[in-house]
Amino acid sequence: YRAHALRGLCVSVGGLTESTLRASTFAFHKHVGELPVDELSHLVDDLVELLSQHSTEPRVSLPLLRTLIQLLETRLLDPLLQCNVSSNASPELIIRIRKHIKSSMAG
C-alpha cells in the first residue's frame, strides 16, 4: 500500500487545489527533510517507479513531476544527489523526466 499512499500524497502535494496543497506540502517536506539518505533513496526510487507507471496519465504524472520539482527546488534531495548511495535514483529520475517531457510534447 506504500506506493498507493505515496501516489495520493504526491497528487495532493503537486496538485492545484489550494486547500490540500499547503498542508500536504508542509507535512511531506518536513518528513522528507528528516529522512536518512538511504530512505531518501528509496523514496526517490518509488517516485521514479510511479512516474514510470503513470507516464501516460497526466492526472497523476503532472502532480508527480511538480512534487519532484518542489523537492529539488527546496534542496531536499541534495543529500542524495551529493553522496554515493547505491541507487540509480538520480540518473533514472532524469531519464524518466526526459521521457515524460518528450511524450508530452509529441502528443
Side-chain angles (χ1 to χ4, degrees):
Y1 72 92
R2 187 171 110 187
H4 297 293
L6 181 60
R7 182 183 65 206
L9 184 58
C10 288
V11 169
S12 293
V13 171
L16 300 174
T17 306
E18 193 68 29
S19 62
T20 59
L21 183 70
R22 285 186 189 172
S24 59
T25 299
F26 176 78
F28 187 61
H29 287 191
K30 184 174 188 283
H31 175 70
V32 171
E34 295 171 353
L35 290 176
V37 175
D38 61 331
E39 289 182 30
L40 185 59
S41 175
H42 291 302
L43 173 72
V44 173
D45 289 341
D46 289 346
L47 289 171
V48 167
E49 181 61 29
L50 283 171
L51 189 56
S52 176
Q53 291 172 357
H54 299 284
S55 63
T56 60
E57 301 172 53
R59 180 184 65 79
V60 178
S61 63
L62 293 177
L64 278 169
L65 287 171
R66 283 192 286 271
T67 300
L68 287 165
I69 288 168
Q70 289 177 16
L71 293 174
L72 290 166
E73 286 178 342
T74 56
R75 307 186 69 87
L76 288 168
L77 298 182
D78 281 5
L80 177 62
L81 300 173
Q82 294 172 355
C83 76
N84 194 8
V85 178
S86 62
S87 169
N88 296 351
S90 300
E92 189 64 25
L93 178 60
I94 292 168
I95 290 167
R96 293 290 176 199
I97 290 172
R98 283 183 180 160
K99 276 184 167 180
H100 185 74
I101 290 170
K102 284 181 183 179
S103 69
S104 295
M105 293 176 80

